[in-house]
Amino acid sequence: MFQLIELRKNVGLRPSLFKLEQTKAIKEVLNTKLANKVLFLHGLCIALHDILDIGDSYSFPGDAGSYTSVLFRYILFRPFEEEVLTGRVARSTPEGVWVTLGFFEDVFIPKEYLQSPCKFDAEDNCWIWEYADGLETHNMYMDEREDIRFRVVKVEFNDVARRKEHDDQLLPMK
């Protein structure tokens, strides 16, 4: 579910951060830029794990900041296929169920992947699994704010606002 990824980035430090120790300033900049953001094709950035290497710092004419090449490891949320996770039903629609993990709100379970047989109750706005134990059928309601377990079928992080800026040029190390 959580992965460690090694990245290299040129980190710009504004003069207001010069009062901090360089390592602390770099950590602050990296967490501000990456935490709670999706790293395209990799996953949701959670937190900086550690800094492996800090290169030389450079400044450029007309710019008061300094720029440093930094090699670091970052913790990402990226579940693997077939992994079983526990979440809470956020809302239900006729198309499926939206689940929250607490720190990640965009888990969607299409109706095709819900337990079979099931039906959507438009009046209560929830899905009902019609569980048969051999003797009788029990209605198992998937109400909002109820915990559920689900198996990951596909992992897809959609980039809704991909920017073509220099800032997005984070490359995973191989």
Side-chain angles (χ1 to χ4, degrees):
M1 175 172 12
F2 294 99
Q3 298 177 353
L4 211 52
I5 187 168
E6 199 169 288
L7 301 167
R8 179 172 297 279
K9 178 169 178 48
N10 287 323
V11 177
L13 299 179
R14 299 283 101 213
S16 61
L17 295 173
F18 288 170
K19 63 186 173 207
L20 299 175
E21 178 189 339
Q22 184 184 33
T23 306
K24 280 187 176 183
I26 289 171
K27 286 180 181 180
E28 186 176 314
V29 169
L30 288 173
N31 276 323
T32 300
K33 286 190 175 281
L34 296 175
N36 295 321
K37 297 194 174 69
V38 172
L39 187 58
F40 190 60
L41 298 177
H42 294 286
L44 176 69
C45 294
I46 303 295
L48 179 67
H49 183 266
D50 60 1
I51 295 176
L52 302 174
D53 181 54
I54 298 175
D56 294 333
S57 296
Y58 298 95
S59 56
F60 298 100
D63 189 348
S66 71
Y67 298 87
T68 308
S69 177
V70 180
L71 179 64
F72 59 96
R73 292 187 297 179
Y74 218 85
I75 300 169
L76 297 179
F77 167 70
R78 183 180 178 88
F80 54 87
E81 291 183 10
E82 297 300 316
E83 182 175 8
V84 176
L85 299 175
T86 301
R88 186 163 284 177
V89 175
R91 66 184 183 281
S92 297
T93 66
E95 290 78 34
V97 177
W98 288 92
V99 179
T100 177
L101 300 175
F103 62 93
F104 190 70
E105 309 291 324
D106 294 330
V107 177
F108 180 67
I109 305 171
K111 63 183 176 185
E112 298 82 33
Y113 292 107
L114 295 174
Q115 292 281 14
S116 182
C118 67
K119 63 182 179 185
F120 183 73
D121 184 348
E123 187 176 307
D124 289 334
N125 204 33
C126 71
W127 282 91
I128 303 170
W129 173 30
E130 298 169 327
Y131 173 72
D133 64 5
L135 301 174
E136 57 185 313
T137 301
H138 305 276
N139 287 338
M140 310 291 270
Y141 290 81
M142 289 185 249
D143 293 320
E144 282 187 20
R145 296 182 297 281
E146 290 291 325
D147 288 341
I148 63 168
R149 299 184 84 194
F150 60 95
R151 184 176 312 276
V152 177
V153 175
K154 181 179 178 185
V155 178
E156 183 177 297
F157 287 99
N158 296 317
D159 192 8
V160 294
R162 182 127 168 92
R163 299 184 323 254
K164 300 290 185 194
E165 297 176 5
H166 297 290
D167 203 34
D168 286 340
Q169 293 180 358
L170 283 171
L171 301 175
M173 302 301 292
K174 294 191 180 194

